[in-house]
Amino acid sequence: QVQLIESGGGLVQAGGSLTLSCLASGRTFRDYAMGWFRQAPGKEREFVATISGSGANRGYGDSVKGRFTISRDNAKNTVYLQMNSLKPEDTAVYYCAARSNRLIATVRTAFASWGQGTQVTVSS
């Protein structure tokens, strides 16, 4: 399994932007499709975005389409989540995840490796 470390969370006002980063261990980063999920207090962990190993294919949850962008830099073993037009309902712990397959996926069970999470808080 690959080890993942997220960074970039914090407190931001509604309408603002944040970029999350996730650094992965290992030499075969391009063999892993990556995903971002989030979990708010008392709620299920929710799919946010996914990107294929090459970066050519991406997918987004309905609640973030048009506002969030996932990208990756395989030379740096890093995946990013650019979050714009943030809303209070985006407040959650955001988790980076990796799957041992280059194809995108949107369900939690498709991802075997998870980071520790980073808190994003959006104030109104």
Side-chain angles (χ1 to χ4, degrees):
Q1 290 187 349
V2 62
Q3 293 186 333
L4 305 170
I5 301 175
E6 302 101 333
S7 61
L11 174 65
V12 63
Q13 288 189 334
S17 298
L18 274 178
T19 299
L20 305 182
S21 300
C22 174
L23 177 63
S25 65
R27 301 180 182 178
T28 59
F29 183 60
R30 66 178 62 253
D31 289 339
Y32 293 84
M34 302 296 294
W36 286 98
F37 290 75
R38 68 186 182 186
Q39 189 165 18
K43 294 189 175 182
E44 296 280 326
R45 193 167 296 190
E46 174 190 21
F47 165 72
V48 175
T50 183
I51 188 167
S52 62
S54 68
N57 295 304
R58 310 177 193 196
Y60 296 93
D62 289 341
S63 60
V64 306
K65 277 181 184 175
R67 299 189 298 122
F68 290 11
T69 302
I70 189 170
S71 62
R72 66 190 295 158
D73 185 338
N74 285 345
K76 296 182 178 179
N77 279 21
T78 302
V79 62
Y80 305 95
L81 185 68
Q82 173 68 43
M83 305 184 293
N84 297 327
S85 303
L86 282 162
K87 305 174 182 180
E89 51 263 43
D90 293 318
T91 295
V93 177
Y94 283 70
Y95 296 90
C96 175
R99 65 187 304 243
S100 301
N101 189 303
R102 297 183 181 184
L103 303 179
I104 61 172
T106 63
V107 295
R108 288 180 57 183
T109 53
F111 294 84
S113 300
W114 294 82
Q116 80 288 352
T118 186
Q119 177 71 47
V120 172
T121 303
V122 184
S123 62
S124 57

